[in-house]
Amino acid sequence: MRYDTVIIGGGLSALMCGIEVARAGKRVALVATGNSCLHFSSCSFGLYNAPEPLKAIESLPAIHPYAKMGAEQVEVYATRATEILNIAGIATVGSAEQNHYIATPVGKWRECWLSIEGMLTSKSGKDVDFKSATILYPEGFLDFYTQFIVDHLEGMGVKVKTHAFELPELVIRRNNPTEMRTVTVARALDKTENIEALASIIAHQSDKEDVVLLPAVLGFNSVDVLSQLSRLADRDIREIPTLIPSVEGVKVERALNRAFESMGGVIFMAHTAVDYAMEEGQIKSITTSKGITLTADDFVLASGSFIGGGLTAERDSLREPIFGADIEPVSGGEYTTRDIFEPQPFMSCGVATDNTFKVKIGGKVVENLYACGAVLSGYNPVKEGCGAGVAMTTALKVADDIINR
């Protein structure tokens, strides 16, 4: 099968790159092994852990993906990423110029660049824009720690009350406690009769409080449940992330998939790239685990890091399993430190590229093979809080280079 561009991966970086290339009129195929790490998302996207991310980017080492683009280009691509999310139907709040804070499942605040609209956020992480709140949650829900959230809000001077609600469908499911998880509750709350029942509960339980806070379990199969519920209950309702899996992350993945396919993109789901053909220093085709050969002018490696299988670890080495791309090692060849609370060097390892993210194999740059996202070297997504930011901005940089080749 022939395409203009083939992207290996199915996560945030792959989809962002695919959408941008597809909307430029090119025929694009995604090769996706399975569900992406978006299912572990916490309803937000990080650009860099600093109050003013773009200023912090200016001082990063040359190997860092942001440094390869420069702060000005990062800002351009961060803005474009927000636009693409909006095109896909994902409304966000936030700015690349100034981080804000989003509530976590255990009540504390976490710095972020963008958060999904409707989440509980704070400009400073030290105060909120309301004086009182009602926290409602399903009776027996296992992925939401109400008391932690209460303690942190009360520490900010907010008057909080809580209420565990019941719905007939959830009462039945509580007979098996393992059923009271995020996805199960979300599916129940997608039903019109349950949304109407919940709206009645909210209206009855929160007549005097400024806001109503719910676990982020609304809209598993539709995007407008929160606004619908707010209208029915006539209340200011906001959501707080739950433990994984993330309903918001699933919604983002589905929305980007729909956007990509609506632009003519093709997804080979449950396929893994297992082999490739190379001629005259360029990739000519890849072969998937189901025996399908895909040829293209350009290829993009957006296969993720260790969790997604984009990188694999041996006892004393790391490797990229599809192309055998060069891996940039850490200083001194040490992949770990003895202190488990320190940033681990292996987290900064990844595929070696030139400054335009063209992949190196055997020390040579492959002109039509690009890499973007978590498979790249030179940054620590956990320490720096920049996993989503690197994923989206490098994807759009690669897309631009492919479009303009």
Side-chain angles (χ1 to χ4, degrees), residues 252-385:
V252 169
E253 182 184 71
R254 289 177 174 177
L256 291 175
N257 278 335
R258 287 194 299 269
F260 175 63
E261 291 178 324
S262 73
M263 295 171 186
V266 176
I267 301 176
F268 289 87
M269 184 57 71
H271 284 248
T272 302
V274 294
D275 200 3
Y276 70 98
M278 193 171 190
E279 295 178 14
E280 299 179 350
Q282 294 201 21
I283 306 298
K284 293 300 180 183
S285 66
I286 63 166
T287 302
T288 77
S289 53
K290 296 187 178 181
I292 293 178
T293 297
L294 304 174
T295 61
D297 297 323
D298 297 289
F299 295 82
V300 180
L301 186 63
S303 49
S305 186
F306 299 98
I307 295 177
L311 298 172
T312 59
E314 308 294 338
R315 183 176 179 85
D316 58 355
S317 65
L318 305 176
R319 60 185 296 268
E320 185 280 306
I322 301 169
F323 300 99
D326 296 351
I327 299 294
E328 290 184 328
V330 293
S331 177
E334 295 293 332
Y335 294 108
T336 60
T337 63
R338 294 182 65 85
D339 188 345
I340 64 172
F341 295 104
E342 286 295 311
Q344 297 299 313
F346 76 87
M347 293 293 292
S348 298
C349 292
V351 168
T353 69
D354 68 3
N355 284 342
T356 60
F357 302 112
K358 291 175 182 174
V359 175
K360 296 178 182 180
I361 301 177
K364 297 181 179 180
V365 172
V366 181
E367 291 296 327
N368 72 333
L369 176 60
Y370 299 83
C372 59
V375 77
L376 292 170
S377 65
Y379 74 107
N380 187 319
V382 176
K383 176 187 176 184
E384 299 169 5

Side-chain angles (χ1 to χ4, degrees), residues 102-114:
I102 186 170
T104 68
V106 293
K108 288 190 174 183
W109 298 97
R110 187 171 57 79
E111 202 169 7
C112 69
W113 154 46
L114 297 176

Side-chain angles (χ1 to χ4, degrees), residues 33-113:
T33 300
N35 292 329
S36 75
C37 290
L38 281 167
H39 289 226
F40 304 136
S41 168
S42 58
C43 309
S44 65
F45 306 96
L47 189 64
Y48 194 81
N49 277 347
E52 298 176 291
L54 294 174
K55 289 184 178 180
I57 285 169
E58 295 172 356
S59 60
L60 292 173
I63 193 175
H64 199 289
Y66 286 156
K68 290 182 177 182
M69 291 183 285
E72 188 174 327
Q73 272 200 322
V74 171
E75 182 177 13
V76 169
Y77 291 130
T79 300
R80 195 182 303 174
T82 306
E83 294 169 355
I84 291 174
L85 289 171
N86 289 337
I87 289 171
I90 304 299
T92 60
V93 296
S95 164
E97 295 180 356
Q98 184 78 43
N99 276 339
H100 64 282
Y101 292 79
I102 186 170
T104 68
V106 293
K108 288 190 174 183
W109 298 97
R110 187 171 57 79
E111 202 169 7
C112 69
W113 154 46

